Amino acid sequence: METDNVNSFEREYQKIKENLEKLCRETKASYVLLIDKAGQLITSAGDTSSLDIPSFATLSAADFAATSNLADLIGEHDFSTLFHQGKARSIYVSLIANQVILAVIFPRETTLGLIRIKVKKASADLERFFENIFTQLESEYVGTVDQDFIKEAESELDSLFE
Amino acid sequence: MSLINYSSKEINCKIVYYGPGLGGKTTNIKYIYSKVNPGSRGKLMSLDTELDRTLFFDFLPVNLGRVKGFYVHFHLYTVPGQVYYNASRKLILKGVDGIVFVADSQIERFEDNIESLENLKENLSEYSRILEEIPMSIQYNKRDLPNIVSIAELEEDLNPRVLFSCEAVAVDGIGVFEPLKAVSKEVLRKLK
């Protein structure tokens, strides 16, 4: 594994995490999640212990993808944000760097206006961090798995799917 | 693509079950759910119609555990097989790492298999991806039924690349884990 590359990813990741925690604090959100377009969690802030994260991430990505296609059908390029209003909690979803989904889950005490302002501010920073990561991913090979990894993973697969 | 998260040390791989409607994709994933140790899998989520036909997708997260310091997760999805639902089927293919193609062995469904495979290629091309570059395995399902196409014929039309394939009766769990294992291993090898 290329340690330098990994450290550099970790630095960007740390900045992203801090940014999310700040957003969560400032909006008094229950939690904030960053999800990729394929429905996999990148990272989160806030107490997500009661949340079924894989299901949430998958549905958010599917929701966003379905809505983008709806936009397309009416001649819009994209709906950049989605808002689902509930009685006790609501969800505000927006797209970062055209690749990553930011979902903020907030209680009724927080106003939508505040969420909009804070998300806009956080998005600008997050976008920068992600663009750094994407540039690195494109320009450098980052080795993660070797023969030993594959051998061990295959043996785990054999015992899991018996 | 497999998302490797260097800081949380996680590798997530997306496997999609594809194939014609009523071919048994959901049956596969339900069987896997019932047999995998509950500690190694998450909740099975199904977005289906009132008549239990898949409307959007089924989703099952399976955890391989810790391998060389990385937590490896496989996310299994099915697509709605009915021709009508192509818009949602296409969405699920976004970021796919591996495909299990579930073919229906019945003679009257033979053309549907070919059509579904063509549809898979078309949908992937919208993401600028080529089927030949994506790990895939094929399951010939419903081998217990009387009116079925021979394996030789199915292989000739559906498996020209000679990928891993097997006979299955998914409802009884026969031939369910083999294609999943084959494609998962191929996905892991491709991570290199």
Side-chain angles (χ1 to χ4, degrees), chain B residues 9 31 39 51 60 74 89 101 106-107 110 134 153 167:
Chain B
K9 303 274 186 285
Y31 182 81
L51 296 170
L60 175 65
F74 284 90
R89 188 162 46 241
F101 188 84
Q106 296 176 93
I107 290 171
F110 187 69
I134 300 172
E153 277 176 272
E167 296 186 55

Side-chain angles (χ1 to χ4, degrees), chain A residues 21-47:
Chain A
E21 276 159 7
K22 189 172 165 224
L23 176 65
C24 195
R25 226 174 21 245
E26 289 181 347
T27 57
K28 295 194 172 60
S30 310
Y31 29 82
V32 180
L33 294 99
L34 272 178
I35 299 153
D36 78 355
K37 277 185 163 179
Q40 292 158 357
L41 180 79
I42 298 169
T43 186
S44 65
D47 180 13

Side-chain angles (χ1 to χ4, degrees), chain B residues 28-96:
Chain B
N28 265 276
I29 222 164
K30 280 186 173 163
Y31 182 81
I32 294 161
Y33 177 79
S34 73
K35 288 294 167 190
V36 168
N37 170 7
S40 301
R41 52 128 170 101
K43 215 170 83 183
L44 172 65
M45 187 168 62
S46 289
L47 277 70
D48 48 25
T49 65
E50 284 175 12
L51 296 170
D52 280 347
R53 298 292 303 271
T54 306
L55 176 64
F56 204 163
F57 58 84
D58 305 301
F59 169 69
L60 175 65
V62 179
N63 306 319
L64 197 56
R66 204 157 170 219
V67 181
K68 298 265 169 209
F70 275 81
Y71 290 97
V72 184
H73 308 283
F74 284 90
H75 290 172
L76 313 183
Y77 288 76
T78 66
V79 296
Q82 293 177 84
V83 175
Y84 181 74
Y85 292 130
N86 194 46
S88 44
R89 188 162 46 241
K90 194 160 57 191
L91 297 179
I92 304 306
L93 283 176
K94 174 110 192 152
V96 63

Side-chain angles (χ1 to χ4, degrees), chain B:
Chain B
M1 306 293 141
S2 293
L3 185 120
I4 300 173
N5 191 325
Y6 288 96
S7 286
S8 57
K9 303 274 186 285
E10 283 184 285
I11 297 176
N12 294 308
C13 306
K14 182 173 184 174
I15 310 282
V16 174
Y17 280 73
Y18 211 93
L22 291 174
K25 298 177 289 299
T26 300
T27 308
N28 265 276
I29 222 164
K30 280 186 173 163
Y31 182 81
I32 294 161
Y33 177 79
S34 73
K35 288 294 167 190
V36 168
N37 170 7
S40 301
R41 52 128 170 101
K43 215 170 83 183
L44 172 65
M45 187 168 62
S46 289
L47 277 70
D48 48 25
T49 65
E50 284 175 12
L51 296 170
D52 280 347
R53 298 292 303 271
T54 306
L55 176 64
F56 204 163
F57 58 84
D58 305 301
F59 169 69
L60 175 65
V62 179
N63 306 319
L64 197 56
R66 204 157 170 219
V67 181
K68 298 265 169 209
F70 275 81
Y71 290 97
V72 184
H73 308 283
F74 284 90
H75 290 172
L76 313 183
Y77 288 76
T78 66
V79 296
Q82 293 177 84
V83 175
Y84 181 74
Y85 292 130
N86 194 46
S88 44
R89 188 162 46 241
K90 194 160 57 191
L91 297 179
I92 304 306
L93 283 176
K94 174 110 192 152
V96 63
D97 294 302
I99 295 162
V100 177
F101 188 84
V102 180
D104 191 325
S105 298
Q106 296 176 93
I107 290 171
E108 63 270 27
R109 303 300 310 279
F110 187 69
E111 290 298 324
D112 295 338
N113 294 321
I114 293 169
E115 200 182 307
S116 176
L117 201 54
E118 283 306 312
N119 173 259
L120 171 60
K121 286 179 195 166
E122 274 166 38
N123 283 340
L124 285 171
S125 73
E126 297 216 15
Y127 295 116
S128 306
R129 300 189 67 188
I130 303 163
L131 179 61
E132 285 69 24
E133 291 174 359
I134 300 172
M136 183 165 107
S137 62
I138 301 177
Q139 178 193 63
Y140 298 120
N141 197 18
K142 307 194 183 181
R143 298 307 295 173
D144 56 330
L145 298 183
N147 196 26
I148 52 175
V149 181
S150 74
I151 290 295
E153 277 176 272
L154 287 165
E155 282 281 278
E156 193 182 332
D157 285 289
L158 299 174
N159 195 12
R161 287 156 65 200
V162 202
L163 301 167
F164 175 89
S165 67
C166 75
E167 296 186 55
V169 184
V171 76
D172 295 331
I174 300 166
V176 169
F177 282 125
E178 292 84 344
L180 174 59
K181 239 193 269 189
V183 81
S184 303
K185 288 183 180 179
E186 199 56 41
V187 167
L188 288 170
R189 279 179 221 128
K190 257 206 133 175
L191 287 175
K192 281 177 91 180

